[in-house]
Amino acid sequence: MCEQRRIKLFRNGRYQVVRIPMEFELPGDEAIMRRDGDRLVIEPARKRGLLALLKTMKPLKKGLPAIDDPVPTPKIC
């Protein structure tokens, strides 16, 4: 059986807020919320794609080395 706990809902301005107890904490700082009938499902947000990863990377201090890569000649059978 799934672990359960009764919690309180409260208002913060125009938002209805729920505090997530420590034993139900999700990793990271973002989550996805969706409706499933009359239930709300909150799950960890997946890590972002390649573009988001590339944006976090710093440029190389040195350039890439030159590579001797001549165009292959086609073989005739």
Side-chain angles (χ1 to χ4, degrees):
M1 177 91 184
C2 177
E3 194 174 340
Q4 294 185 48
R5 183 166 168 187
R6 185 172 290 260
I7 53 141
K8 296 282 186 182
L9 301 174
F10 60 98
R11 288 253 170 226
N12 184 357
R14 293 181 53 194
Y15 295 96
Q16 185 178 37
V17 182
V18 59
R19 286 195 180 117
I20 299 175
M22 189 181 307
E23 61 267 22
F24 293 108
E25 264 185 27
L26 298 172
D29 58 359
E30 289 186 328
I32 303 295
M33 182 185 293
R34 63 181 166 81
R35 276 194 191 275
D36 185 6
D38 61 347
R39 296 174 182 241
L40 289 178
V41 178
I42 302 172
E43 54 193 11
R46 297 172 106 195
K47 296 197 187 228
R48 296 194 177 146
L50 179 59
L51 289 177
L53 172 65
L54 292 174
K55 287 179 184 179
T56 65
M57 297 175 77
K58 295 178 183 173
L60 297 173
K61 292 182 180 179
K62 295 181 181 180
L64 295 174
I67 299 173
D68 184 24
D69 189 17
V71 177
T73 56
K75 294 184 180 182
I76 301 173
C77 295

